[in-house]
Amino acid sequence: MDKRKIWVVCDAFDHVDSFTGQLISKAYQLSKESNGSVQAVFIGNASDDELKRCALYGADEVVYQQCETKDEKVWLDILSDIYSSIGADIIMFTNTDFSKTLSSLFASRFEVGLTADCIDICFEEENGFVFERAAMSDSVQARIICINSQCCTCTVKKNAFVETEINAQKELNIRKWEYTGSFIADPAYEIINSVKRVCENNTDLDNAKIVFGVGRGVKDGETFDMICQAGKKYNAVVVGTKCVVDDGLLPKKLQVGQSGCSIAPDLYIAFGISGANQHLVGIRNSRQIIAVNNNENAPIFNIADVKIVADVKEFMKEFAE
Amino acid sequence: MIKIVVCLKMVPGKLINAEAGGLIINPYDLFVLEKLAELKKSSDISVIGICMGGESARDGLIRSKALVCDDIYWLNDIKFAQADTIATTKTLTAAIKKYIPDADAVICGGHAIDGETGQVPAELSEKLGITYFSSVADIESFGNDSAVIVRRDERQEMTVRCRYPFLLSVDSFLTYASNLNVIALKRAQKWEYKIISAEELGIASTDCGASGSKTKVINSVNIIYKKESIEIGGSIKEKADHVKKLLQQ
């Protein structure tokens, strides 16, 4: 039997970024479980040396198409061309805005199954590739397979997988694709005005060692300010649950959970977080979790190492001292 | 007159308010309806709602009608149930092509708060073969051959004029409809909602619902493992001191 083709679509345009590294690392692991080979599909503008970095994480081949523009429609046509020619059994995309659009367009064009924001993927003889993501209104993870579908596609959450360099020296084949279609993006719009957004928050959440989480139990601005002050003091990044972000207390990029980001700090302190599954999937890789909540039965305590039953406001008054 | 199709999804109300029962209009779709209600006062637009859902969607449809919709297509058939994004896209595409083939714009909420995949808008644009605009924060105006919208991502905010036909995926949301008035609501209750079956739509049952889906949930597991936690007792001060000590390590 031919080897299963496991694709990773690289979307960093001119380099192999850490997110792509995470995907190739997972693809490599899946290739061992499923008797597959890992193909990194790289569209953009990168040197051979940069492309070779895909081998560090376990890619067998890079399919490279030189392209000067980063436009979803142009990439879709290129990707379709490659797919129609060599085929794939599973295609992994990052879940950046760009790749979410690209993967949706692709899945729709070929009518193949697409699972959004996976937090895990495994291979089982019986089921084939199985994708896991949080079931929204439930306290469990849904395990999803593709049916009646030529190939399986998915977008993957950042930090769901660990970027791992393999020990073995791998022979990497770089296959230069020669796409003959158009590289011109459809000019169906004109820009009237464009304003750069000032980044209010330059926090490096991916590398944060200490993270403070704020949940609905933080009911007033005063308590929230005390947590932010303490965050500064201990060099901790302050993040929030979905409802806190929806309420506008914190920007979307500091939302942790299934619909936000996943984190893996050394220490996570959850203030007034009840522990909905939506949030827990985002913090489950934290090395140590301390939870402060006034409800002693809050689900957050199930995964906490240290349990503190206390009113968050009262606790913060002492803690901020 | 500019013809605008709005895709509507009804989601469990308890996701917004723990005590609420039943289904409500997805907050991202509600933003679109409110925006169109405002724009309708000053521009020549007609708004057509399209919704795939069972009887429990009725209340949300009445509100949509009262807010702004001139017409509503209610795709209500058990055959549509359990659709994944591909089957949903095919069903919506069939309906738009059959009933509103001359739509100038199709507008979707960026994602539904129950599924959270956000895949349908782009998938739908591909099937309809129209230009796709994601990350839309606001809609400013509808002109004769183009509309002005605001797109926003982390890096920039762009005001863009886009030519019809197009599909927008809108990332702003609302949980409360301020343009809803009681008289309109009463009128909307009496309106006759057209229910469209799979047969009437002319879609094969293998193209919609569970049988048209390309993904399937096989089971659910708990991957959050319970830990043995240590409870810190004592006074609030003792508890706070304990955490301070852990932070200093």
Side-chain angles (χ1 to χ4, degrees):
Chain A
M1 188 185 155
D2 277 355
K3 285 200 160 189
R4 287 189 176 81
K5 290 196 178 107
I6 303 172
W7 279 23
V8 171
V9 176
C10 312
D11 65 356
F13 194 72
D14 54 5
H15 68 291
V16 178
D17 66 345
S18 132
F19 199 172
T20 306
Q22 293 169 11
L23 263 61
I24 299 176
S25 300
K26 182 68 191 181
Y28 177 64
Q29 189 199 332
L30 286 170
S31 74
K32 288 192 292 187
E33 291 167 14
S34 67
N35 181 32
S37 70
V38 179
Q39 286 165 307
V41 177
F42 199 110
I43 301 171
N45 201 349
S47 65
D48 280 8
D49 281 346
E50 186 60 31
L51 295 176
K52 277 180 194 150
R53 293 192 52 234
C54 293
L56 292 178
Y57 308 108
D60 297 285
E61 184 176 63
V62 176
V63 180
Y64 174 67
Q65 174 62 54
Q66 163 97 18
C67 177
E68 302 296 330
T69 49
K70 192 168 177 182
D71 175 88
E72 291 99 340
K73 286 295 248 188
V74 172
W75 282 42
L76 172 68
D77 288 341
I78 295 172
L79 203 59
S80 302
D81 188 46
I82 304 172
Y83 175 74
S84 302
S85 167
I86 62 178
D89 294 285
I90 170 173
I91 307 180
M92 295 160 66
F93 293 86
T94 71
N95 76 342
T96 58
D97 286 347
F98 181 86
S99 281
K100 284 209 79 155
T101 298
L102 179 63
S103 59
S104 299
L105 295 172
F106 182 88
S108 185
R109 177 171 289 186
F110 290 96
E111 296 185 3
V112 292
L114 171 60
T115 305
D117 308 312
C118 294
I119 54 168
D120 206 357
I121 307 169
C122 56
F123 178 80
E124 294 166 2
E125 282 302 333
E126 186 193 345
N127 295 314
F129 293 102
V130 181
F131 304 90
E132 286 186 2
R133 76 186 304 266
M136 253 317 133
S137 41
D138 224 331
S139 60
V140 289
Q141 304 304 119
R143 299 180 77 239
I144 297 164
I145 56 167
C146 290
I147 48 167
N148 307 322
S149 180
Q150 252 190 11
C151 98
C152 315
T153 64
C154 68
T155 56
V156 172
K157 271 175 76 72
K158 195 174 183 184
N159 299 333
F161 305 126
V162 184
E163 185 183 357
T164 320
E165 294 196 10
I166 58 167
N167 293 320
Q169 192 82 1
K170 244 190 167 183
E171 193 72 32
L172 181 80
N173 180 30
I174 297 180
R175 185 159 161 185
K176 299 261 162 91
W177 203 256
E178 279 168 29
Y179 175 67
T180 52
S182 168
F183 287 94
I184 299 162
D186 177 19
Y189 66 96
E190 64 175 290
I191 298 167
I192 299 171
N193 185 23
S194 173
V195 186
K196 276 227 155 61
R197 294 186 79 192
V198 187
C199 202
E200 322 94 24
N201 211 315
N202 287 318
T203 39
D204 182 7
L205 188 52
D206 288 343
N207 296 312
K209 295 267 181 268
I210 303 171
V211 175
F212 289 176
V214 178
R216 219 170 225 181
V218 177
K219 293 196 180 76
D220 53 67
E222 194 190 335
T223 314
F224 180 72
D225 288 343
M226 282 194 281
I227 295 172
C228 292
Q229 286 299 330
K232 270 190 197 133
K233 184 172 164 192
Y234 291 104
N235 210 5
V237 179
V238 178
V239 300
T241 59
K242 182 169 158 38
C243 45
V244 165
V245 171
D246 283 350
D247 281 347
L249 267 181
L250 284 163
K252 173 83 186 165
K253 66 183 220 176
L254 292 175
Q255 180 184 324
V256 168
Q258 176 68 44
S259 48
C261 37
S262 295
I263 54 170
D266 290 341
L267 178 62
Y268 181 72
I269 308 185
F271 293 103
I273 293 176
S274 63
N277 198 56
Q278 212 285 121
H279 183 68
L280 298 189
V281 297
I283 61 165
R284 68 189 178 121
N285 292 329
S286 305
R287 282 178 65 185
Q288 191 180 24
I289 297 173
I290 301 174
V292 183
N293 201 298
N294 62 355
N295 172 8
E296 63 172 325
N297 296 318
I300 186 80
F301 290 132
N302 289 336
I303 70 156
D305 300 278
V306 177
K307 171 178 179 178
I308 292 171
V309 181
D311 179 79
V312 177
K313 190 170 189 173
E314 296 303 315
F315 180 87
M316 281 316 294
K317 281 181 188 161
E318 286 295 337
F319 186 67
E321 280 282 301
Chain B
M1 178 163 323
I2 303 302
K3 239 183 204 181
I4 300 162
V5 173
V6 185
C7 298
L8 301 168
K9 187 178 184 193
M10 303 306 155
V11 298
K14 64 172 191 219
L15 293 173
I16 293 292
N17 175 352
E19 279 101 58
L23 299 182
I24 57 163
I25 303 168
N26 176 41
Y28 292 83
D29 305 350
L30 185 61
F31 175 87
V32 175
L33 292 172
E34 276 268 322
K35 196 73 215 175
L36 293 175
E38 263 168 48
L39 290 169
K40 203 177 182 184
K41 291 173 191 162
S42 58
S43 42
D44 195 17
I45 57 174
S46 79
V47 178
I48 301 133
I50 181 165
C51 174
M52 199 169 84
E55 187 53 37
S56 52
R58 185 179 291 272
D59 190 54
L61 292 179
I62 291 171
R63 287 171 173 269
S64 308
K65 178 79 182 76
L67 259 171
V68 66
C69 289
D70 297 290
D71 204 353
I72 286 177
Y73 291 90
W74 185 2
L75 312 174
N76 179 353
D77 189 324
I78 190 74
K79 286 181 181 153
F80 298 142
Q82 307 278 320
D84 75 346
T85 62
I86 293 288
T88 301
T89 296
K90 279 179 140 179
T91 309
L92 293 175
T93 303
I96 293 170
K97 283 190 170 166
K98 178 163 181 178
Y99 301 110
I100 324 127
D102 53 344
D104 296 292
V106 179
I107 309 182
C108 302
H111 57 98
I113 60 167
D114 58 347
E116 291 275 3
T117 73
Q119 290 168 182
V120 170
E123 288 181 8
L124 190 56
S125 75
E126 171 66 18
K127 276 277 174 274
L128 291 171
I130 56 178
T131 320
Y132 175 60
F133 295 97
S134 62
S135 310
V136 176
D138 206 357
I139 305 165
E140 287 192 349
S141 63
F142 290 99
N144 284 333
D145 59 355
S146 62
V148 177
I149 60 166
V150 178
R151 299 182 74 188
R152 187 185 297 153
D153 63 20
E154 269 182 13
R155 279 158 294 133
Q156 60 184 346
E157 184 174 297
M158 272 197 297
T159 308
V160 175
R161 180 186 304 283
C162 33
R163 280 203 309 273
Y164 306 126
F166 56 69
L167 186 145
L168 307 181
S169 168
V170 178
D171 282 345
S172 302
F173 67 92
L174 269 183
T175 51
Y176 175 77
S178 52
N179 276 312
L180 197 59
N181 77 59
V182 183
I183 300 161
L185 207 53
K186 277 194 174 154
R187 241 183 254 139
Q189 267 159 358
K190 288 183 194 140
W191 199 67
E192 204 174 304
Y193 291 83
K194 280 170 278 186
I195 290 178
I196 295 159
S197 66
E199 192 185 352
E200 201 175 325
L201 186 56
I203 190 169
S205 52
T206 48
D207 278 335
C208 59
S211 3
S213 294
K214 301 292 177 185
T215 54
K216 180 184 167 192
V217 177
I218 45 171
N219 58 1
S220 297
V221 290
N222 196 346
I223 56 158
I224 309 288
Y225 301 107
K226 245 188 161 158
K227 281 189 194 167
E228 280 302 316
S229 59
I230 306 163
E231 182 167 354
I232 309 301
S235 68
I236 289 269
K237 184 172 184 323
E238 283 164 328
K239 290 172 178 174
D241 285 345
H242 187 93
V243 175
K244 279 186 200 169
K245 217 183 276 169
L246 283 173
L247 272 164
Q248 274 147 13
Q249 278 168 17

